[in-house]
Amino acid sequence: MEFPAFPYEPYPIQIDFMRALYRYLDKGGVSMLESPTGTGKTLSIICSSLQWLIDKRQQEAKCESEKKSDQNGSCESDGEPDWMKNFCVDKGDKPVVKYNLRENGSKLGLNKYVKRDLNSASVYTLGKSVEEVMRKAEDLVKSEEALENDDFLLDEYESDDELGIDGGRPKRKAGDPSISSSSDEEEDKDVIDDEGGRDGLKIYFCSRTHSQLSQFIKELKKTNFASEIRVVCLGSRKNFCINEEVLKLGSSTRINEKCLDLMKNTASKTTKVKNSDYADKKHKTKASCGCPMLRKQKLQKQFRKEVSEQGVMDIEDLVILGRNIGACPYYGSRSMVPTADLVVLPYQSLLSKSTRESLGLSLRNNIIIIDEAHNLADSLISMYDAKVTSLQLERVQSRLEGYFSRFCNLLGPGNRRYVQTLLILTRAFLKALHEEETFVSPFQDRDNNSSTPAKVADSTFSINDFLFSINIDNINLVKLLRYMKESNIIHKVSGYGDKVKSSTDNSTVSNFKDFVDDESTISGFQALVNMLHSLTNNDCDGRMIVSKIKRGCIGQTGYIKYVMLTGEKIFSEIADQAHAVVLAGGTLQPIEETRERLFPKLSFNQLQFFSCSHIIPPESILPISISHGPSGHSFDFSFNSRSLPIMVEELGLLLCNIVTVVPEGIVVFFSSFDYEALVYRSWKESGILERIMKKKHIFREPRKNTDIEGVLQEYKETIDKLSNKNLKENSHPCNGAMLLAVVGGKISEGINFSDGMGRCIVMVGLPYPNPSDIELIERIKHIEGLGESNVSKSLGVSASHICNSGDGQIGFHILRNCKRRGKEYYENLCMKAVNQSIGRAIRHIDDYAAILLVDSRYATNSSTSNAHHPTNKLPQWIKDRLVSTTSNYGEVHRLLHQFFKFNKNRGHK
């Protein structure tokens, strides 16, 4: 296994990593590869996986060539005439025309109907000529034109009673070619000009963010593979869209909806234009509907041609190309998936089944590589959470009532029944959310003498308990969801409501309310649909959270949320289809937890695991556990003590001393934005902030992600300016900058602080998650009871419980009663966050940095060392070099002085 595409002389650990990955891809199955941040992990993944892909294809080509050679040598041509090859047999054993129909259909713009009814013997039968077939397809197109009054009327829908257990189905109108679908992602498929590329062996590379994917593309361009393989980069509409009118909408939800709405207009109008020789000429003017970036198929083809010629391109490159050509890069990149060798995409797009299917991604026998997989289990299940707010429910209810009032007498019995069922559901959900309404959990703690739940309370329920509580357990949600999809009711009701609202010009309209927020009716409907889908899950798969509307709180909305608790079935569906699934990351420990939560049926021995050390020498890193400050006070940043004035002041004094010995940049991580703000305010009032700023300029992580890039740029420029070698020594009192950041924020996850940007990382305390988070506590309860029953009883809580918002007492109670997995999961969440944050510093072999763990709980000795101690969950390359205990701050200062003096001198050699 040689890797000639690696652009540099690889380090031994990189060779070991690439060889291990190559073996795992050959063997197939699930594997985990751990390589510390800064060791060239991305480049190693690229060179080994793509080398395997090329080798595999060469083997397959060789086998195919040998097979054909054997066939040619042993068999003569069967002599079958060409006209026989143009026939096949459909499911009804009736021969149908395929080839000529596709060829002629494309000329008339009827691909939509050719593809849809390809196997329909009623349309393509042997006894008919091609002309007759195409004439019938034209008639189907014309029959879609309807009167304006019928646009919003639902097609007749047969009731469940008439069709028995199979449920309802819309009756087709005369000449109606198909049943319309309410699936947004399905509606745009007909507009994409698919060149019919055959799916071959592919590698799907996934990471968390678009910036990480751009970094992957940047590394790929350094290798020879950039010119040898076909690569396509996928992303969201918000990142790809070049239609300025759509981009002005701002939010991803509104951009998606507007895009799909334009796509529907394009799909319905372009057919009429293409058939102008057979239809009325006046329909040509309607071609102005739809997105202008998709109007010309020639530009889409030019886009694909340019991408193929220019080679590997990231999202920014594709957007620039799309703007220059005037073609949509979102659909342009999607159309190139079938012919791609490597597909680069955010892992939400691949792990979410609905998104995966809408993008047309086939996992069968392909390779999936998931980078930054340290929180994969939690990220995976969070994709399947569902939430609907009181405001969304009120809007949907208002639109349904207005629609039902207008069309009640025109709807058939099946449609009336289902619309009434939707009204019953929305009313039941809203009743559950309004505090003044009676909604008392029958599973409330019996020890509580009060029969009324707390006024400010969030409640949790199992799925079945929730359905019984609001009396909707008798509704067949599966049939209802099928009806909503097949009847297209979402767009019918939304379209009618929007039309009424726009035409009334502020006049009074019965059964309609005005809503001032930015969300559309379709968004509310989709949230309701997602919630109904969640309610069809198994009772043990998730929990329902009901957050009621608080009286007297202006602008406050309640919500109902489904929280998925297990990702085993979701992940197994992916792993069973793919040839190999690779989880990669800088720190994947503890792997046993990941195995139990995602693939428990896979034994520990069957799981392929590789881990390597760091490339930097031991003298390039100095991790220290700091238990005492300069004044001798012990550091305790636990939840109850961290806000004490003495603790905040002692931390400030520590940093006042550190800035005098640490050159260039210091990054300080706090547990939350609120705590960082409290500390900053206290330092400003006490004068500590002024003392620090005499040596370091101070920057703060902004809450808005859009502001981060500007802050980081200014932080870097300040360090570069003050660290300039041309400046005379002591010519400027400042020697760098300090950045105050937050664990779990944007900076702690995806930003690299190489060289001077991160000479010292300070971790303040242990950033344990908030125990008052109900979703977290439900996950802990579930994990504690994996494979067991009666876990709620063992933890001392009721099966369904009510807890006050912001009150962590129940959470602390549950954590204290956890004996195994639940408690360990809680600890792992904390240390994974720590490891991600402190791993931002060391980025290459010549880099160096100090890591200060500020809290007495980090300190270890012979009596405190055990498997659950925080430092035992540190990466091995840090743990091996950790100064686990110091007697006083003076010792810390001395170690820092020696460390930076040594590395400064080493850098001048």
Side-chain angles (χ1 to χ4, degrees), residues 186-204:
E186 290 176 4
E187 288 170 351
D188 55 13
K189 287 182 179 179
D190 296 325
V191 186
I192 301 173
D193 183 18
D194 186 359
E195 295 186 335
R198 184 177 65 86
D199 279 342
L201 180 61
K202 291 187 191 338
I203 293 179
Y204 294 101

Side-chain angles (χ1 to χ4, degrees), residues 36 105 112 128 146 200 254 262 268 460 493 564 639 662 675 678 697 709 778 882:
K112 177 176 182 179
K128 295 184 179 181
R254 299 187 68 195
L262 291 173
S268 63
T460 65
V493 174
M564 181 71 81
F639 184 78
V662 176
Y675 184 58
L678 182 148
H697 287 275
E709 186 174 347
E778 289 301 326
L882 176 67

Side-chain angles (χ1 to χ4, degrees), residues 659-769:
V659 295
T660 63
V661 68
V662 176
E664 301 177 291
I666 300 176
V667 184
V668 184
F669 284 104
F670 294 89
S671 56
S672 68
F673 279 105
D674 290 340
Y675 184 58
E676 185 272 340
L678 182 148
V679 171
Y680 185 86
R681 189 168 53 250
S682 298
W683 287 350
K684 189 174 183 179
E685 293 173 355
S686 65
I688 289 178
L689 198 64
E690 185 178 356
R691 291 177 58 185
I692 295 175
M693 293 179 69
K694 289 180 180 179
K695 281 292 184 180
K696 303 280 185 187
H697 287 275
I698 292 183
F699 297 87
R700 302 172 68 190
E701 178 175 357
R703 290 178 182 261
K704 290 184 178 180
N705 288 342
T706 53
D707 298 334
I708 287 178
E709 186 174 347
V711 172
L712 288 175
Q713 184 63 30
E714 190 176 354
Y715 171 71
K716 183 179 186 302
E717 289 175 355
T718 301
I719 293 172
D720 292 341
K721 179 181 178 181
L722 297 177
S723 304
N724 195 319
K725 301 293 190 298
N726 295 325
L727 291 176
K728 294 182 180 180
E729 192 173 357
N730 298 326
S731 63
H732 197 284
C734 287
N735 64 352
M738 177 185 292
L739 176 61
L740 307 183
V742 175
V743 174
K746 183 75 172 180
I747 287 177
S748 69
E749 284 288 337
I751 307 299
N752 298 329
F753 295 99
S754 60
D755 300 318
M757 289 185 70
R759 286 298 178 217
C760 180
I761 304 294
V762 180
M763 176 58 61
V764 180
L766 286 157
Y768 284 107

Side-chain angles (χ1 to χ4, degrees), residues 561-575:
K561 184 172 184 179
Y562 173 79
V563 179
M564 181 71 81
L565 297 178
T566 175
E568 175 189 346
K569 288 186 291 186
I570 303 169
F571 190 80
S572 63
E573 181 179 334
I574 296 170

Side-chain angles (χ1 to χ4, degrees), residues 777 780-781 795 797 801 809-818:
I777 295 304
I780 289 173
K781 286 166 57 180
L795 294 177
V797 294
H801 61 268
Q809 293 306 310
I810 288 181
F812 280 121
H813 173 75
I814 291 173
L815 286 168
R816 281 193 296 268
N817 284 276
C818 285

Side-chain angles (χ1 to χ4, degrees), residues 838-901:
I838 64 180
R840 300 296 95 200
I842 304 295
R843 310 306 305 172
H844 54 84
I845 193 170
D846 295 321
D847 207 354
Y848 62 95
I851 298 172
L852 308 183
L853 306 175
V854 185
D855 198 301
S856 58
R857 290 171 292 178
Y858 284 115
T860 60
N861 53 50
S862 57
S863 62
T864 60
S865 180
N866 59 68
H868 292 284
H869 195 274
T871 56
N872 283 323
K873 297 180 185 293
L874 292 170
Q876 194 65 41
W877 62 279
I878 293 179
K879 186 165 59 174
D880 290 343
R881 304 162 194 183
L882 176 67
V883 180
S884 58
T885 183
T886 51
S887 57
N888 52 56
Y889 173 73
E891 185 179 352
V892 174
H893 199 88
R894 178 180 56 82
L895 290 171
L896 288 172
H897 178 75
Q898 293 175 347
F899 174 77
F900 287 109
K901 182 179 179 180

